[in-house]
Amino acid sequence: QVQLVESGGGLVQAGGSLRLSCAASGLSFSSYNMGWFRQAPGKERELVAAIKWSGYTTLYADSVQGRFTISRDNAKNTVYLQMSSLKPEDTAVYYCAGGGWGSRPRDYDFWGQGTQVTVSS
């Protein structure tokens, strides 16, 4: 079965950086678009960034444009989210998603269990 396993979350001060990783198995990774979503307490899950199977097309939420970078290594079946200039409002559980495209969670077929990112002020 498909498994997406996130890692790299943690506690960081405002202005700091973190890199999230999502290791995929059970699917032909290089054929699938991938994304990162986040969900803060009391809020809906929202798209952070997405990347097409080839790696050449990306999509970012306005709130992270210029601060976050999504990338993938198809040889390692892994998608990354490099987060810089972190703000307290970036605090959320970050989820890896696969098999879809766009900003709606319902458009994605596969999900990881999530990793907590906490940004202190």
Side-chain angles (χ1 to χ4, degrees):
Q1 70 278 19
V2 176
Q3 281 194 312
L4 303 178
V5 180
E6 301 98 335
S7 61
L11 174 64
V12 64
Q13 288 189 331
S17 299
L18 280 176
R19 188 176 83 154
L20 305 183
S21 300
C22 171
S25 61
L27 78 169
S28 183
F29 181 78
S30 61
S31 299
Y32 283 86
N33 303 330
M34 301 295 294
W36 287 96
F37 284 75
R38 66 187 181 187
Q39 188 166 19
K43 295 189 176 182
E44 294 186 350
R45 193 170 296 191
E46 63 176 2
L47 176 76
V48 176
I51 186 167
K52 285 205 170 181
W53 61 272
S54 64
Y56 291 124
T57 301
T58 56
L59 176 67
Y60 292 95
D62 289 344
S63 59
V64 306
Q65 183 78 46
R67 300 189 298 121
F68 291 10
T69 302
I70 189 170
S71 62
R72 65 190 296 158
D73 185 338
N74 286 344
K76 295 183 178 180
N77 287 2
T78 301
V79 61
Y80 304 98
L81 184 69
Q82 178 67 49
M83 305 185 293
S84 303
S85 301
L86 283 160
K87 304 175 181 180
E89 51 263 43
D90 294 317
T91 295
V93 177
Y94 283 69
Y95 296 91
C96 178
W101 185 250
S103 62
R104 301 181 305 182
R106 67 185 186 211
D107 290 335
Y108 291 76
D109 296 324
F110 311 116
W111 291 88
Q113 81 288 351
T115 186
Q116 177 70 47
V117 172
T118 303
V119 184
S120 63
S121 57

